[in-house]
Amino acid sequence: MVATVSVSDNHLRSQIFDLLCQVPDPEIPVVNIVELGIVRDVLADPQQVIITPTYTGCPATHFITQMIREKLDENGFDKMEIKNQLSPAWTTDWITPEAKVKLKAYGIDPPAMSADKHAQACCPRCNSTNTKLISEFGSTPCKALYSCKDCLEPFDRFKCH
Amino acid sequence: MATMHNPTTPQTAYILRLADNALILGQRLAEMCGHAPEMELDMALTNFSLDLIGQASLLYEHVLEREDLAPNVDALAMTRNLEEYRNCLLVAQPNANFAHIILRQYLFSTFQKYQYQALLGSNDKKLAAIAEKSLKEISYHIRFAQSWVLRLGDGTEESHEYMEDALECLWRYTGELFEKDEILAAVIDSGLSGDYTQEYKTWEAEVTAILSEAGGLTPPETLRMLVGGHAGKHDENLGHILKDLQYMQLKYPGLQW
């Protein structure tokens, strides 16, 4: 398949990827939808952006589709289709290491890799792992609520999913 | 009112049944928004509601891709007559108290796991993808509900009594979950779903082991399980749900968020 992709197709794909990197997650604006693993692929023929929802009922999903549409239209890619693909199901393992650093700086403990999912939560403020779970379900479907037993601050943890 | 058609194939009828189960339980849980015993439980129950309504929305969309039953997903989900909803009776049972809510969730989610696992090898690839995605969420629902079944059953004398009452009341709806009616039989024959009804004993053993660990809870002797939801024969509870669920779409047809 790779052999059939022409240079101009590769150019188009990287252009689109660059644009999509400018679309932030509506709930956690420090990270973009590419580094969260929501954008799965960009195809040149047929022109398609393939995205996948994080959680089936996540209200941000519709909003993200709208933001991608606007971004593409503004830049003259109005022919580019947006296609939702469910399988393979989204996993937090697709979040890039750079995005995990940004999440932590923003005050959210980033998800562990699924192979390591029982790792203790780590306080994003003081780095202590002396933490406790307050609620497995937090302010958005992707987060759980913890508190740090050393600095006593509550914090969100991105659930390993 | 929008023109509505009934499914003409057992496959579509079955997917509609899956969608209705998810929607009705999602709506029941949404009623708990702001009413759970604690803030954390409130968030958990509404998170489950969101997951289930998300699953329902994907399933309704898929129904419409297969058959043109309604002009859009909202009309399909929210404007049918009561007897055209094909959810099982269990999901419509009321939020009588927290023990009822938790046990209903535990019984349903443990069942839903077997039901959706049977879709992973479906010849309908879209349906298999929806099941794969949903199973990740179902595992949270089971873990949460199970921990509360144990905590309440093995808690105080009072919490144990509440669980006993919930079990007495809800167990009779579990027979319907694994009922192999004509639609399910046809769906299994066609390769849309595996035969999860063969897993009934496995499910029962899994659930009764947890109940027994929960302070020795035992399912009641039930001479006759209550069934009917799959055929559109509902008890009074569904009507109460639809009164809220359908209000906006019936009052303002075609209303969009």
Side-chain angles (χ1 to χ4, degrees), chain B residues 192-228:
Chain B
L192 187 96
S193 170
D195 187 359
Y196 60 84
T197 62
Q198 292 180 358
E199 315 253 27
Y200 177 66
K201 289 287 164 199
T202 317
W203 171 84
E204 195 184 30
E206 180 186 326
V207 167
T208 48
I210 292 296
L211 291 171
S212 154
E213 206 184 311
L217 291 168
T218 336
E221 294 282 335
T222 305
L223 291 176
R224 191 179 285 274
M225 289 284 183
L226 292 181
V227 299

Side-chain angles (χ1 to χ4, degrees), chain B residues 4 9 27 63 82 98-99 103 109 117 125 128 134 143 145 150 154 162 167 170 172 205 247 255:
Chain B
M4 214 54 80
T9 69
Q27 176 73 16
V63 164
L82 185 140
F98 188 60
L103 186 68
S109 297
Q117 278 171 348
K125 294 301 164 217
S134 307
R143 195 170 63 212
L150 289 170
D154 199 21
Y162 271 102
L167 191 56
L170 296 175
R172 69 187 76 155
Y247 178 80
L255 178 76

Side-chain angles (χ1 to χ4, degrees), chain B residues 82 89-90 92-94 173 226 229 233-240:
Chain B
L82 185 140
L89 299 173
L90 177 67
Q93 296 311 303
Y173 299 105
L226 292 181
K233 294 175 183 146
H234 297 283
D235 56 26
E236 75 275 22
N237 296 303
L238 185 65
H240 295 165

Side-chain angles (χ1 to χ4, degrees), chain A residues 25 27-28 36 54-55 58 90 92 95 108-109 111 136-144 156-161, chain B residues 47 140:
Chain A
D25 179 87
E27 288 285 347
I28 314 166
L36 277 177
T54 53
Y55 284 75
C58 184
W90 180 80
T92 44
I95 300 178
I108 299 172
D109 184 30
E136 208 180 334
F137 301 91
S139 53
T140 64
C142 58
K143 287 179 290 191
D156 272 330
R157 184 189 205 191
F158 213 106
K159 280 190 275 197
C160 174
H161 183 76
Chain B
N47 260 272
Y140 292 127

Side-chain angles (χ1 to χ4, degrees), chain B residues 101-159:
Chain B
I101 293 169
I102 280 302
L103 186 68
R104 182 184 63 204
Q105 194 66 43
Y106 180 64
L107 296 172
F108 180 76
S109 297
T110 47
F111 151 73
Q112 201 191 13
K113 179 184 72 178
Y114 287 102
Q115 190 183 33
Y116 278 40
Q117 278 171 348
L119 296 173
L120 293 176
S122 176
N123 55 12
D124 178 336
K125 294 301 164 217
K126 175 80 184 284
L127 186 60
I130 295 172
E132 180 195 343
K133 180 114 195 100
S134 307
L135 277 163
K136 290 187 108 173
E137 296 163 355
I138 293 167
S139 69
Y140 292 127
H141 306 175
I142 295 175
R143 195 170 63 212
F144 178 86
Q146 179 175 315
S147 74
W148 274 98
V149 166
L150 289 170
R151 201 183 297 192
L152 294 178
D154 199 21
T156 64
E157 206 175 303
E158 189 183 6
S159 71

Side-chain angles (χ1 to χ4, degrees), chain B:
Chain B
M1 196 163 136
T3 316
M4 214 54 80
H5 303 282
N6 287 318
T8 59
T9 69
Q11 288 80 7
T12 318
Y14 185 70
I15 302 168
L16 192 57
R17 186 183 287 183
L18 298 176
D20 287 344
N21 276 347
L23 177 72
I24 299 303
L25 186 54
Q27 176 73 16
R28 263 295 183 229
L29 289 167
E31 290 172 8
M32 291 308 296
C33 187
H35 296 282
E38 295 175 350
M39 174 88 109
E40 287 75 19
L41 299 177
D42 208 288
M43 288 197 293
L45 297 179
T46 44
N47 260 272
F48 295 173
S49 171
L50 196 59
D51 288 341
L52 286 161
I53 290 172
Q55 293 165 15
S57 142
L58 292 174
L59 290 162
Y60 285 126
E61 278 167 26
H62 190 46
V63 164
L64 292 187
E65 280 162 14
R66 294 187 65 119
E67 275 198 67
D68 191 16
L69 302 184
N72 58 56
V73 173
D74 284 344
L76 181 62
M78 295 187 267
T79 67
R80 274 174 293 152
N81 290 323
L82 185 140
E83 62 275 14
E84 286 157 358
Y85 284 82
R86 295 304 162 97
N87 53 281
C88 59
L89 299 173
L90 177 67
V91 292
Q93 296 311 303
N95 297 325
N97 57 50
F98 188 60
H100 277 243
I101 293 169
I102 280 302
L103 186 68
R104 182 184 63 204
Q105 194 66 43
Y106 180 64
L107 296 172
F108 180 76
S109 297
T110 47
F111 151 73
Q112 201 191 13
K113 179 184 72 178
Y114 287 102
Q115 190 183 33
Y116 278 40
Q117 278 171 348
L119 296 173
L120 293 176
S122 176
N123 55 12
D124 178 336
K125 294 301 164 217
K126 175 80 184 284
L127 186 60
I130 295 172
E132 180 195 343
K133 180 114 195 100
S134 307
L135 277 163
K136 290 187 108 173
E137 296 163 355
I138 293 167
S139 69
Y140 292 127
H141 306 175
I142 295 175
R143 195 170 63 212
F144 178 86
Q146 179 175 315
S147 74
W148 274 98
V149 166
L150 289 170
R151 201 183 297 192
L152 294 178
D154 199 21
T156 64
E157 206 175 303
E158 189 183 6
S159 71
H160 184 85
E161 274 172 24
Y162 271 102
M163 282 304 291
E164 255 178 352
D165 170 66
L167 191 56
E168 182 71 36
C169 180
L170 296 175
W171 188 256
R172 69 187 76 155
Y173 299 105
T174 57
E176 186 178 28
L177 304 178
F178 288 89
E179 173 192 48
K180 194 171 184 175
D181 64 353
E182 275 176 21
I183 287 179
L184 180 56
V187 155
I188 292 168
D189 278 345
S190 76
L192 187 96
S193 170
D195 187 359
Y196 60 84
T197 62
Q198 292 180 358
E199 315 253 27
Y200 177 66
K201 289 287 164 199
T202 317
W203 171 84
E204 195 184 30
E206 180 186 326
V207 167
T208 48
I210 292 296
L211 291 171
S212 154
E213 206 184 311
L217 291 168
T218 336
E221 294 282 335
T222 305
L223 291 176
R224 191 179 285 274
M225 289 284 183
L226 292 181
V227 299
H230 290 159
K233 294 175 183 146
H234 297 283
D235 56 26
E236 75 275 22
N237 296 303
L238 185 65
H240 295 165
I241 295 179
L242 295 184
K243 170 182 67 65
D244 281 344
L245 176 77
Q246 299 191 324
Y247 178 80
M248 292 298 276
Q249 279 298 325
L250 294 183
K251 175 103 181 162
Y252 304 102
L255 178 76
Q256 296 227 322
W257 186 244

